[in-house]
Short mmCIF file of all heavy atoms in Angstrom, two decimals:
data_model
loop_
_atom_site.label_atom_id
_atom_site.label_comp_id
_atom_site.label_asym_id
_atom_site.label_seq_id
_atom_site.Cartn_x
_atom_site.Cartn_y
_atom_site.Cartn_z
N ASP A 895 -51.57 70.08 175.62
CA ASP A 895 -51.55 68.67 175.25
C ASP A 895 -50.35 68.35 174.37
O ASP A 895 -49.68 67.33 174.56
CB ASP A 895 -52.84 68.31 174.50
CG ASP A 895 -54.06 68.31 175.43
OD1 ASP A 895 -53.86 68.26 176.66
OD2 ASP A 895 -55.20 68.39 174.92
N SER A 896 -50.07 69.23 173.42
CA SER A 896 -48.93 69.00 172.52
C SER A 896 -47.62 69.00 173.29
O SER A 896 -46.75 68.13 173.07
CB SER A 896 -48.90 70.08 171.44
OG SER A 896 -47.75 69.96 170.64
N LEU A 897 -47.46 69.95 174.20
CA LEU A 897 -46.22 70.02 174.98
C LEU A 897 -46.10 68.81 175.91
O LEU A 897 -45.02 68.24 176.06
CB LEU A 897 -46.19 71.32 175.79
CG LEU A 897 -44.95 71.55 176.66
CD1 LEU A 897 -43.69 71.52 175.81
CD2 LEU A 897 -45.06 72.88 177.41
N SER A 898 -47.23 68.39 176.51
CA SER A 898 -47.20 67.23 177.39
C SER A 898 -46.83 65.97 176.62
O SER A 898 -46.03 65.14 177.08
CB SER A 898 -48.56 67.06 178.06
OG SER A 898 -48.55 65.97 178.94
N GLN A 899 -47.40 65.80 175.42
CA GLN A 899 -47.08 64.64 174.59
C GLN A 899 -45.61 64.68 174.16
O GLN A 899 -44.95 63.65 174.03
CB GLN A 899 -47.98 64.61 173.36
CG GLN A 899 -49.44 64.33 173.69
CD GLN A 899 -50.35 64.51 172.48
OE1 GLN A 899 -49.87 64.65 171.35
NE2 GLN A 899 -51.65 64.54 172.73
N HIS A 900 -45.10 65.89 173.94
CA HIS A 900 -43.68 66.03 173.59
C HIS A 900 -42.81 65.51 174.73
O HIS A 900 -41.82 64.80 174.48
CB HIS A 900 -43.38 67.51 173.31
CG HIS A 900 -41.97 67.78 172.86
ND1 HIS A 900 -41.51 67.47 171.61
CD2 HIS A 900 -40.93 68.34 173.54
CE1 HIS A 900 -40.24 67.82 171.51
NE2 HIS A 900 -39.86 68.35 172.66
N TRP A 901 -43.16 65.85 175.94
CA TRP A 901 -42.43 65.34 177.10
C TRP A 901 -42.56 63.82 177.21
O TRP A 901 -41.58 63.12 177.50
CB TRP A 901 -42.93 66.00 178.38
CG TRP A 901 -42.24 67.30 178.67
CD1 TRP A 901 -42.71 68.56 178.44
CD2 TRP A 901 -40.96 67.46 179.27
NE1 TRP A 901 -41.80 69.49 178.83
CE2 TRP A 901 -40.70 68.85 179.35
CE3 TRP A 901 -39.98 66.57 179.72
CZ2 TRP A 901 -39.53 69.37 179.88
CZ3 TRP A 901 -38.80 67.09 180.25
CH2 TRP A 901 -38.58 68.47 180.32
N ASP A 902 -43.78 63.32 177.00
CA ASP A 902 -43.99 61.87 177.07
C ASP A 902 -43.14 61.15 176.02
O ASP A 902 -42.49 60.13 176.31
CB ASP A 902 -45.46 61.54 176.84
CG ASP A 902 -46.31 61.94 178.04
OD1 ASP A 902 -45.74 62.11 179.14
OD2 ASP A 902 -47.53 62.10 177.87
N ARG A 903 -43.16 61.68 174.83
CA ARG A 903 -42.49 61.02 173.72
C ARG A 903 -40.98 60.97 173.92
O ARG A 903 -40.34 59.95 173.64
CB ARG A 903 -42.85 61.75 172.41
CG ARG A 903 -42.30 61.11 171.15
CD ARG A 903 -43.00 61.66 169.91
NE ARG A 903 -42.97 63.11 169.84
CZ ARG A 903 -44.02 63.90 170.08
NH1 ARG A 903 -45.20 63.37 170.42
NH2 ARG A 903 -43.91 65.21 169.98
N HIS A 904 -40.42 62.06 174.39
CA HIS A 904 -38.96 62.12 174.53
C HIS A 904 -38.49 61.80 175.95
O HIS A 904 -37.31 61.50 176.15
CB HIS A 904 -38.45 63.49 174.10
CG HIS A 904 -38.72 63.80 172.66
ND1 HIS A 904 -37.99 63.25 171.63
CD2 HIS A 904 -39.67 64.59 172.09
CE1 HIS A 904 -38.46 63.71 170.48
NE2 HIS A 904 -39.47 64.52 170.72
N GLY A 905 -39.40 61.86 176.92
CA GLY A 905 -39.00 61.52 178.29
C GLY A 905 -39.00 60.03 178.54
O GLY A 905 -38.24 59.53 179.38
N LYS A 906 -39.85 59.30 177.81
CA LYS A 906 -39.93 57.86 178.03
C LYS A 906 -38.60 57.15 177.77
O LYS A 906 -38.15 56.34 178.60
CB LYS A 906 -41.03 57.25 177.15
CG LYS A 906 -41.31 55.78 177.43
CD LYS A 906 -42.49 55.31 176.58
CE LYS A 906 -42.84 53.87 176.93
NZ LYS A 906 -41.71 52.94 176.77
N PRO A 907 -37.93 57.41 176.64
CA PRO A 907 -36.62 56.75 176.45
C PRO A 907 -35.63 57.12 177.56
O PRO A 907 -34.81 56.27 177.95
CB PRO A 907 -36.15 57.30 175.09
CG PRO A 907 -37.40 57.69 174.38
CD PRO A 907 -38.32 58.19 175.44
N PHE A 908 -35.70 58.34 178.05
CA PHE A 908 -34.81 58.74 179.13
C PHE A 908 -35.10 57.93 180.39
O PHE A 908 -34.19 57.42 181.05
CB PHE A 908 -34.99 60.24 179.39
CG PHE A 908 -34.25 60.74 180.60
CD1 PHE A 908 -32.86 60.81 180.62
CD2 PHE A 908 -34.95 61.14 181.73
CE1 PHE A 908 -32.18 61.26 181.74
CE2 PHE A 908 -34.28 61.60 182.85
CZ PHE A 908 -32.90 61.66 182.86
N ILE A 909 -36.38 57.78 180.72
CA ILE A 909 -36.76 57.00 181.91
C ILE A 909 -36.43 55.52 181.71
O ILE A 909 -35.87 54.86 182.61
CB ILE A 909 -38.26 57.17 182.20
CG1 ILE A 909 -38.55 58.65 182.55
CG2 ILE A 909 -38.71 56.26 183.32
CD1 ILE A 909 -40.03 58.96 182.65
N ASP A 910 -36.77 55.01 180.52
CA ASP A 910 -36.49 53.60 180.25
C ASP A 910 -34.99 53.30 180.28
O ASP A 910 -34.58 52.16 180.53
CB ASP A 910 -37.06 53.21 178.88
CG ASP A 910 -38.59 53.22 178.89
OD1 ASP A 910 -39.18 53.25 180.00
OD2 ASP A 910 -39.19 53.24 177.79
N GLY A 911 -34.18 54.31 180.02
CA GLY A 911 -32.74 54.10 180.03
C GLY A 911 -32.21 53.70 181.40
O GLY A 911 -31.10 53.17 181.51
N PHE A 912 -32.99 53.98 182.46
CA PHE A 912 -32.56 53.61 183.81
C PHE A 912 -33.05 52.21 184.21
O PHE A 912 -32.75 51.74 185.31
CB PHE A 912 -33.07 54.64 184.83
CG PHE A 912 -32.37 55.97 184.73
CD1 PHE A 912 -32.90 56.99 183.95
CD2 PHE A 912 -31.18 56.19 185.40
CE1 PHE A 912 -32.27 58.21 183.86
CE2 PHE A 912 -30.54 57.42 185.32
CZ PHE A 912 -31.09 58.43 184.54
N ALA A 913 -33.85 51.57 183.34
CA ALA A 913 -34.36 50.24 183.67
C ALA A 913 -33.21 49.22 183.75
O ALA A 913 -32.21 49.33 183.02
CB ALA A 913 -35.39 49.81 182.63
N PHE A 914 -33.38 48.25 184.62
CA PHE A 914 -32.34 47.24 184.83
C PHE A 914 -32.39 46.19 183.72
O PHE A 914 -33.45 45.62 183.45
CB PHE A 914 -32.52 46.57 186.19
CG PHE A 914 -31.45 45.55 186.49
CD1 PHE A 914 -30.14 45.93 186.70
CD2 PHE A 914 -31.77 44.19 186.56
CE1 PHE A 914 -29.16 45.00 186.97
CE2 PHE A 914 -30.79 43.26 186.83
CZ PHE A 914 -29.47 43.66 187.05
N ARG A 915 -31.24 45.95 183.08
CA ARG A 915 -31.16 44.94 182.02
C ARG A 915 -30.67 43.63 182.66
O ARG A 915 -29.47 43.40 182.79
CB ARG A 915 -30.20 45.38 180.92
CG ARG A 915 -30.52 46.75 180.30
CD ARG A 915 -31.88 46.73 179.56
NE ARG A 915 -32.07 47.92 178.76
CZ ARG A 915 -32.61 49.03 179.20
NH1 ARG A 915 -33.02 49.12 180.47
NH2 ARG A 915 -32.78 50.06 178.40
N ALA A 916 -31.61 42.77 183.06
CA ALA A 916 -31.26 41.57 183.84
C ALA A 916 -30.65 40.46 182.98
O ALA A 916 -29.89 39.63 183.48
CB ALA A 916 -32.51 41.03 184.54
N GLY A 917 -31.00 40.41 181.70
CA GLY A 917 -30.55 39.30 180.86
C GLY A 917 -29.05 39.09 180.87
O GLY A 917 -28.55 37.98 181.08
N GLY A 918 -28.28 40.11 180.68
CA GLY A 918 -26.83 39.99 180.65
C GLY A 918 -26.27 39.54 181.99
O GLY A 918 -25.31 38.74 182.04
N TRP A 919 -26.88 40.06 183.07
CA TRP A 919 -26.41 39.66 184.40
C TRP A 919 -26.68 38.18 184.64
O TRP A 919 -25.85 37.46 185.23
CB TRP A 919 -27.09 40.51 185.47
CG TRP A 919 -26.50 41.89 185.56
CD1 TRP A 919 -26.94 43.01 184.95
CD2 TRP A 919 -25.34 42.27 186.30
NE1 TRP A 919 -26.16 44.08 185.25
CE2 TRP A 919 -25.15 43.65 186.09
CE3 TRP A 919 -24.44 41.58 187.10
CZ2 TRP A 919 -24.11 44.36 186.66
CZ3 TRP A 919 -23.40 42.28 187.68
CH2 TRP A 919 -23.23 43.67 187.46
N TYR A 920 -27.84 37.70 184.24
CA TYR A 920 -28.18 36.27 184.44
C TYR A 920 -27.20 35.38 183.67
O TYR A 920 -26.77 34.33 184.17
CB TYR A 920 -29.61 35.99 183.99
CG TYR A 920 -30.64 36.60 184.91
CD1 TYR A 920 -31.89 37.01 184.41
CD2 TYR A 920 -30.39 36.76 186.27
CE1 TYR A 920 -32.84 37.56 185.24
CE2 TYR A 920 -31.33 37.32 187.11
CZ TYR A 920 -32.56 37.72 186.58
OH TYR A 920 -33.48 38.28 187.41
N VAL A 921 -26.87 35.76 182.47
CA VAL A 921 -25.91 34.97 181.69
C VAL A 921 -24.56 34.95 182.39
O VAL A 921 -23.90 33.90 182.50
CB VAL A 921 -25.78 35.55 180.27
CG1 VAL A 921 -24.62 34.86 179.52
CG2 VAL A 921 -27.08 35.39 179.51
N MET A 922 -24.17 36.15 182.91
CA MET A 922 -22.88 36.24 183.59
C MET A 922 -22.87 35.36 184.84
O MET A 922 -21.89 34.66 185.13
CB MET A 922 -22.58 37.69 183.97
CG MET A 922 -21.19 37.87 184.59
SD MET A 922 -20.79 39.60 184.85
CE MET A 922 -22.03 40.01 186.09
N VAL A 923 -23.99 35.35 185.60
CA VAL A 923 -24.07 34.51 186.80
C VAL A 923 -24.01 33.03 186.43
O VAL A 923 -23.32 32.23 187.08
CB VAL A 923 -25.35 34.83 187.59
CG1 VAL A 923 -25.58 33.80 188.69
CG2 VAL A 923 -25.26 36.23 188.19
N ALA A 924 -24.72 32.67 185.37
CA ALA A 924 -24.72 31.26 184.95
C ALA A 924 -23.33 30.81 184.52
O ALA A 924 -22.86 29.72 184.88
CB ALA A 924 -25.73 31.06 183.82
N VAL A 925 -22.67 31.66 183.76
CA VAL A 925 -21.31 31.31 183.30
C VAL A 925 -20.38 31.20 184.50
O VAL A 925 -19.56 30.28 184.61
CB VAL A 925 -20.81 32.35 182.29
CG1 VAL A 925 -19.33 32.12 181.99
CG2 VAL A 925 -21.63 32.29 181.01
N ALA A 926 -20.50 32.17 185.43
CA ALA A 926 -19.64 32.15 186.62
C ALA A 926 -19.89 30.89 187.43
O ALA A 926 -18.95 30.24 187.93
CB ALA A 926 -19.87 33.40 187.46
N ALA A 927 -21.17 30.50 187.59
CA ALA A 927 -21.50 29.30 188.36
C ALA A 927 -20.93 28.05 187.69
O ALA A 927 -20.39 27.15 188.35
CB ALA A 927 -23.02 29.20 188.51
N ALA A 928 -21.03 27.98 186.35
CA ALA A 928 -20.51 26.82 185.63
C ALA A 928 -19.00 26.73 185.77
O ALA A 928 -18.44 25.65 185.97
CB ALA A 928 -20.91 26.92 184.15
N VAL A 929 -18.35 27.87 185.70
CA VAL A 929 -16.89 27.88 185.84
C VAL A 929 -16.48 27.43 187.23
O VAL A 929 -15.56 26.63 187.42
CB VAL A 929 -16.34 29.29 185.53
CG1 VAL A 929 -14.85 29.37 185.89
CG2 VAL A 929 -16.54 29.63 184.05
N VAL A 930 -17.19 27.97 188.23
CA VAL A 930 -16.87 27.60 189.62
C VAL A 930 -17.09 26.10 189.83
O VAL A 930 -16.26 25.41 190.44
CB VAL A 930 -17.72 28.42 190.60
CG1 VAL A 930 -17.59 27.87 192.03
CG2 VAL A 930 -17.28 29.88 190.57
#
């Protein structure tokens, strides 16, 4: 249990690091659309 929790605790940030950060892209699309 301790070893599994260790993996959960330190593996989660690693997995979350691959999540898509949409906010910045949306701002970039909006700015690009306004400029166009």
Side-chain angles (χ1 to χ4, degrees):
D895 289 343
S896 174
L897 181 57
S898 181
Q899 292 171 11
H900 183 74
W901 273 101
D902 288 341
R903 184 164 53 254
H904 297 284
K906 187 176 184 303
F908 173 69
I909 296 172
D910 292 345
F912 289 93
F914 182 68
R915 304 295 191 272
W919 283 95
Y920 290 150
V921 172
M922 185 174 66
V923 169
V925 171
V929 171
V930 170

